[in-house]
Amino acid sequence: MEIFINLWNNWTNTEKINTLSLYLSLLILLPLLVKIVTKNNKLVIFSILSLLSSALITLLGITFLSVAFNYTITYIFLLTPIIVIFVNLLNVGSSIGYYQLNKKNKNFNMNDLKREYIQDSIYLTIFLALLFSALSIFLTSTFLVFILLSGITSIATIWVNYALLYYTVK
């Protein structure tokens, strides 16, 4: 916890306000937009849980890095939550888009959404693994650790989201 307190104390008030407003606006706007677009409460719950799980995975990743490897968390790691949230929005957005396109089909059910979601998750995982692998080849030290942490937490978020979708949408 000391990591986050030290980071928080080193930030300016502008950084604190911008960061908090970004996360709070995403936490409010995404479920609201999902509710407006889909009118499906299960998908709204899924989107809320998805955002909360991505935040938890990111915090656990940064804490693990600091505690287990005694690594100093620098300002570059402030980009990790933004990358994870972006990947999370891609993942959730693809499922919402698929649902919106196919919900009026006669034969559509939520199992179709789950099948499409696992395909999208596999494709996104492969893309991210290749992207972060290509980026990590030329990096050393802090940037390498940052890329690895961002990649691992992004991929973990995708698969936690799949588990959440599987259990929330039946």
Side-chain angles (χ1 to χ4, degrees), residues 7 82 148:
L7 262 177
I82 295 170
L148 291 176

Side-chain angles (χ1 to χ4, degrees), residues 32-51:
L32 181 66
L33 289 173
V34 169
K35 178 69 176 172
I36 290 169
V37 170
T38 64
K39 297 174 181 59
N40 186 326
N41 289 332
K42 291 179 182 179
L43 290 177
V44 173
I45 291 169
F46 164 68
S47 68
I48 293 170
L49 290 175
S50 173
L51 286 173

Side-chain angles (χ1 to χ4, degrees), residues 21-117:
S21 62
L22 170 73
Y23 293 132
L24 288 177
S25 63
L26 279 174
L27 192 59
I28 293 168
L29 287 177
L30 181 66
L32 181 66
L33 289 173
V34 169
K35 178 69 176 172
I36 290 169
V37 170
T38 64
K39 297 174 181 59
N40 186 326
N41 289 332
K42 291 179 182 179
L43 290 177
V44 173
I45 291 169
F46 164 68
S47 68
I48 293 170
L49 290 175
S50 173
L51 286 173
L52 293 176
S53 70
S54 68
L56 182 64
I57 290 170
T58 304
L59 287 175
L60 288 174
I62 291 173
T63 303
F64 178 76
L65 183 65
S66 175
V67 172
F69 296 110
N70 198 19
Y71 197 82
T72 304
I73 304 300
T74 59
Y75 275 102
I76 190 73
F77 289 94
L78 295 176
L79 293 175
T80 299
I82 295 170
I83 292 169
V84 172
I85 285 175
F86 179 73
V87 169
N88 194 9
L89 289 175
L90 283 174
N91 203 359
V92 171
S94 68
S95 65
I96 300 301
Y98 181 80
Y99 174 81
Q100 195 61 23
L101 285 173
N102 294 302
K103 71 179 180 181
K104 294 182 182 178
N105 290 348
K106 293 178 193 176
N107 300 330
F108 178 74
N109 61 23
M110 288 307 213
N111 288 329
D112 295 337
L113 178 66
K114 290 177 185 178
R115 274 193 298 275
E116 182 67 24
Y117 194 81

Side-chain angles (χ1 to χ4, degrees), residues 3 14 19-20 68 102 142 157 162:
I3 311 163
T14 306
T19 304
L20 285 175
N102 294 302
T142 303
T157 298
Y162 175 71

